[in-house]
Amino acid sequence: QVQLVESGGGLVQAGGSLRLSCAASGRAFSAYAMGWFRQAPGKEREFVTGISRTGGNTYHADSVKGRFTISRDNAKNTVYLQMNSLKPEDTAVYYCAAAFTPTTIVPSKGYDYWGQGTQVTVSS
């Protein structure tokens, strides 16, 4: 079992930056690939970015490439999402998720555990 708690959301103007954190508790954080998803009002939840369990591989959705960076610190059981050049269309609830995997792949679906989400609002 893994518990995930996101923090760092808030209100920011277009062009600004935010850094989200996701603290994990439970077993063997380094055994899990980690991902960030988001859900805007009236839309389905979508994959944003993910990182392999060792941190060596990352994968980003086209909509955030060059603007968002995912990283992890396995010693602190924490994954981060640095969001730069934010746009109003980035407004959503952002969720951290964990996927148990014995490999170094970065899945975009099939995550096992989810956080409660943190709101990010980008004003124009």
Side-chain angles (χ1 to χ4, degrees), residues 85-96:
S85 302
L86 282 161
K87 305 175 181 180
E89 51 264 43
D90 294 319
T91 295
V93 177
Y94 282 71
Y95 297 90
C96 171

Side-chain angles (χ1 to χ4, degrees), residues 15-18 66-69 82-87 90:
S17 298
L18 278 176
R67 300 189 299 122
F68 290 12
T69 302
Q82 179 66 44
M83 304 185 293
N84 299 327
S85 302
L86 282 161
K87 305 175 181 180
D90 294 319

Side-chain angles (χ1 to χ4, degrees), residues 41-120:
K43 294 186 177 181
E44 293 187 354
R45 185 170 58 193
E46 64 174 355
F47 173 81
V48 175
T49 182
I51 188 167
S52 62
R53 60 187 182 91
T54 62
N57 295 321
T58 61
Y59 177 65
H60 298 77
D62 288 343
S63 59
V64 305
K65 280 183 180 177
R67 300 189 299 122
F68 290 12
T69 302
I70 187 171
S71 60
R72 65 188 296 163
D73 185 338
N74 285 351
K76 295 183 178 180
N77 284 10
T78 302
V79 62
Y80 305 97
L81 179 62
Q82 179 66 44
M83 304 185 293
N84 299 327
S85 302
L86 282 161
K87 305 175 181 180
E89 51 264 43
D90 294 319
T91 295
V93 177
Y94 282 71
Y95 297 90
C96 171
F100 179 77
T101 173
T103 71
T104 56
I105 64 170
V106 181
S108 60
K109 58 183 178 180
Y111 281 72
D112 304 298
Y113 302 101
W114 296 84
Q116 83 289 350
T118 185
Q119 177 70 47
V120 171

